[in-house]
Amino acid sequence: MSAEKRQAEFVFKSKLSLQLKVDMMNSSASASPSSNSPQSPKRIVAIAGATGLVGREILQGLLNDDSVAAIHALGRRPASVQHPKLTSHVVDFAALPSLPPLDEVYLALGTTIKVAGSQEAFRAVDFAANLAVARAALAAGARRAGLVSAMGADAHSRIFYNRVKGELEEALSALDFHVLVIARPSFLAGDRETLGQPIRGGEKFAMSVSTLLRPLIPANYRSIAAADVARALLARVPLAQGKAVLLSGVMQSR
């Protein structure tokens, strides 16, 4: 890797580290100085798509976080784990019930056109279901949201997949969340087989190429571990202010 590329990656990751420090300072400054409790109130969180590649990692991170009091997992099938602070809700995303009181929500629902069967069915999951959860969470009091989007998301793209992702980002940005953190990963690396998910041919090929040529590929275009995406969202959502977009290169752990 050239010195210029190494320097660019260093600057990229330094910006994320600096932003995290700024978020922590802003969060501390906004805390109420008159609180009688020595600790901040514990968070109540919802997650949609906890059985997916990134969603599973987000859920595990929330379960391990002592500042999280309760987690409500919304999905088309029950969450694959059990835990005292986890409540699994099997729901119809086209007719969501009212949600319990919430502080934040993570949106990790996603499919492919091949699995969904049509562009319309794909849009029903990646756009409509995520947006429905966001609106329901907002109505339940959530003011912080994290979204698993995709590299290339653009509401005006000619590519259907990228356009749907971009339209969802725009729709969420128009809602009244105080904080919206959007993760735009490149090709996701993770064990889909253990989740019962089909291996995506194009994704598998891209990851093989990315592994082979990794030092030569710009950080934003390398494959990225699902766990890295989850960690980035979990670090930013509780502390961020306003809207933030995390590009794939910033989220890379290596």
Side-chain angles (χ1 to χ4, degrees), residues 112-187:
T112 65
I113 295 176
K114 182 177 180 180
V115 171
S118 68
Q119 288 187 345
E120 182 180 3
F122 170 84
R123 184 180 176 83
V125 175
D126 278 57
F127 179 83
N130 278 308
L131 182 57
V133 173
R135 286 172 171 163
L138 196 61
R143 291 297 178 265
R144 295 177 175 271
L147 170 68
V148 181
S149 185
M151 181 182 68
D154 181 353
H156 305 290
S157 176
R158 293 182 179 181
I159 301 172
F160 177 76
Y161 178 88
N162 291 351
R163 186 166 68 251
V164 171
K165 294 294 188 181
E167 288 173 351
L168 176 60
E169 289 188 10
E170 286 194 352
L172 294 179
S173 298
L175 298 180
D176 195 27
F177 286 112
H178 294 172
V179 171
L180 174 61
V181 180
I182 298 170
R184 290 182 183 166
S186 180
F187 293 101

Side-chain angles (χ1 to χ4, degrees), residues 16 23 105-107 144-149 172 177-184 229 232-246 251:
L16 176 59
D23 290 340
V105 61
Y106 292 85
L107 307 167
R144 295 177 175 271
L147 170 68
V148 181
S149 185
L172 294 179
F177 286 112
H178 294 172
V179 171
L180 174 61
V181 180
I182 298 170
R184 290 182 183 166
V229 181
L233 281 172
L234 291 169
R236 288 298 300 276
V237 172
L239 299 174
Q241 299 292 320
K243 179 180 175 181
V245 176
L246 306 179
M251 297 186 287

Side-chain angles (χ1 to χ4, degrees), residues 169-254:
E169 289 188 10
E170 286 194 352
L172 294 179
S173 298
L175 298 180
D176 195 27
F177 286 112
H178 294 172
V179 171
L180 174 61
V181 180
I182 298 170
R184 290 182 183 166
S186 180
F187 293 101
L188 290 168
D191 189 354
R192 294 190 183 278
E193 288 183 287
T194 60
L195 298 175
Q197 295 182 352
I199 299 176
R200 303 175 184 181
E203 196 172 78
K204 184 178 181 181
F205 174 76
M207 285 189 292
S208 297
V209 173
S210 179
T211 300
L212 182 64
L213 302 177
R214 190 174 186 85
L216 305 176
I217 300 174
N220 280 341
Y221 295 93
R222 297 172 186 166
S223 61
I224 181 170
D228 285 348
V229 181
R231 277 193 291 268
L233 281 172
L234 291 169
R236 288 298 300 276
V237 172
L239 299 174
Q241 299 292 320
K243 179 180 175 181
V245 176
L246 306 179
L247 300 182
S248 202
V250 174
M251 297 186 287
Q252 297 274 1
S253 63
R254 60 182 179 84

Side-chain angles (χ1 to χ4, degrees), residues 43-47 62 65 67-68 70 72 101-106 137 141-146 177 233-234 237-239:
R43 298 140 57 206
I44 301 176
V45 180
I47 175 172
L62 293 170
D65 189 339
S67 73
V68 175
H72 297 277
L102 297 171
D103 296 304
E104 63 195 56
V105 61
Y106 292 85
R143 291 297 178 265
R144 295 177 175 271
F177 286 112
L233 281 172
L234 291 169
V237 172
L239 299 174

Side-chain angles (χ1 to χ4, degrees), residues 25-158:
M25 291 169 61
N26 288 339
S27 179
S28 298
S30 63
S32 173
S34 61
S35 173
N36 294 323
S37 173
Q39 296 180 337
S40 299
K42 291 198 172 185
R43 298 140 57 206
I44 301 176
V45 180
I47 175 172
T51 58
L53 201 61
V54 178
R56 173 182 61 176
E57 300 290 347
I58 293 175
L59 175 59
Q60 193 58 55
L62 293 170
L63 291 173
N64 294 335
D65 189 339
D66 291 337
S67 73
V68 175
I71 306 160
H72 297 277
L74 313 176
R76 293 160 288 190
R77 60 185 187 273
S80 57
V81 298
Q82 294 184 337
H83 192 279
K85 63 182 180 182
L86 174 63
T87 302
S88 184
H89 305 263
V90 178
V91 299
D92 177 359
F93 290 108
L96 278 174
S98 297
L99 301 181
L102 297 171
D103 296 304
E104 63 195 56
V105 61
Y106 292 85
L107 307 167
L109 289 166
T111 185
T112 65
I113 295 176
K114 182 177 180 180
V115 171
S118 68
Q119 288 187 345
E120 182 180 3
F122 170 84
R123 184 180 176 83
V125 175
D126 278 57
F127 179 83
N130 278 308
L131 182 57
V133 173
R135 286 172 171 163
L138 196 61
R143 291 297 178 265
R144 295 177 175 271
L147 170 68
V148 181
S149 185
M151 181 182 68
D154 181 353
H156 305 290
S157 176
R158 293 182 179 181

